[in-house]
């Protein structure tokens, strides 16, 4: 996770925990605010997890939202479809986790 935090810092993206609200049956785990730029991670979800699960959740959220930042700055192509953008962000997050040292 430290590597992802450092990557966010290098991009000038802040990372914070916040209550992202109630989304019914769905959960909003994190969000990217391009005007910070800031990544907000849902504190309610993170606080409910065991420490090792929490670290993976936070790292995956940072990776996912960093992908959206990279779209915003033109580093990666922004797909027209929201579903495609979310799939790409998930893939980037998972690849970032796999590349992290154990």
């Amino acid at each position: 996770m430290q590597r992802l935090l450092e990557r966010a810092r290098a991009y000038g993206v802040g990372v914070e925990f916040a209550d992202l609200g109630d989304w019914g049956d769905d959960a909003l785990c994190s969000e990217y605010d391009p005007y910070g730029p800031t990544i907000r991670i849902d504190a309610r979800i993170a606080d409910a997890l065991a420490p090792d699960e929490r670290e993976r959740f936070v790292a995956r959220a940072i990776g996912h939202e960093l992908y959206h930042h990279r779209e915003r700055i033109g580093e990666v192509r922004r797909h027209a479809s929201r579903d495609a953008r979310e799939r790409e962000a998930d893939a980037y997050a998972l690849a970032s986790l796999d590349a992290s040292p154990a």
Side-chain angles (χ1 to χ4, degrees):
M1 180 170 58
Q2 187 62 35
R3 192 171 57 77
L4 286 165
L5 286 169
E6 289 169 2
R7 189 178 302 165
R9 191 173 309 119
Y11 278 115
V13 177
V15 177
E16 61 186 42
F17 290 90
D19 184 337
L20 298 182
D22 187 9
W23 291 81
D25 291 338
D26 296 324
L28 180 60
C29 298
S30 59
E31 66 181 7
Y32 168 66
D33 178 358
Y35 301 106
T38 305
I39 294 169
R40 290 185 192 88
I41 301 168
D42 193 307
R44 291 189 301 169
I45 295 172
D47 289 345
L49 298 172
D52 58 332
E53 292 173 327
R54 182 178 200 257
E55 184 168 338
R56 185 166 174 84
F57 169 77
V58 170
R60 186 171 179 180
I62 293 169
H64 180 100
E65 302 305 340
L66 274 179
Y67 182 86
H68 292 308
H69 179 70
R70 294 175 68 224
E71 286 177 316
R72 169 88 171 164
I73 65 173
E75 194 171 287
V76 296
R77 182 173 78 92
R78 186 177 192 272
H79 296 276
S81 158
R82 181 182 186 282
D83 287 342
R85 290 192 304 273
E86 292 303 310
R87 278 193 306 274
E88 291 296 320
D90 284 341
Y92 180 79
L94 289 174
S96 296
L97 289 177
D98 292 342
S100 294

